[in-house]
Amino acid sequence: MKFLLEVDVDAGRVTEDPARELGRILRYWAGNLHHYPLQPGDGSPVYDSEYQEVGHWRIMTS
């Protein structure tokens, strides 16, 4: 399996301060993953600090 996190760094608040916003996204999703069984097909949209969708994560087969 693979865990794939994609964030559009040209979208939303990520464009203003990419390092800060990506750090916030990573901290949030790292702490939130225990809510998912992490099986192929699982995933969710990823939002910036203004709750605009800027990407997604998903579990895929290799």
Side-chain angles (χ1 to χ4, degrees), residues 34-55:
H34 69 277
H35 294 290
Y36 297 89
L38 299 181
Q39 299 173 355
D42 285 346
S44 181
V46 172
Y47 300 95
D48 67 10
S49 58
E50 291 183 344
Y51 303 105
Q52 295 180 24
E53 188 172 332
V54 293

Side-chain angles (χ1 to χ4, degrees), residues 9-46:
V9 295
D10 294 324
R13 293 212 21 141
V14 182
T15 62
E16 296 171 21
D17 191 346
R20 181 182 180 116
E21 200 63 26
L22 288 171
R24 188 202 66 78
I25 288 167
L26 289 169
R27 284 188 305 277
Y28 178 83
W29 285 107
N32 202 35
L33 286 173
H34 69 277
H35 294 290
Y36 297 89
L38 299 181
Q39 299 173 355
D42 285 346
S44 181
V46 172

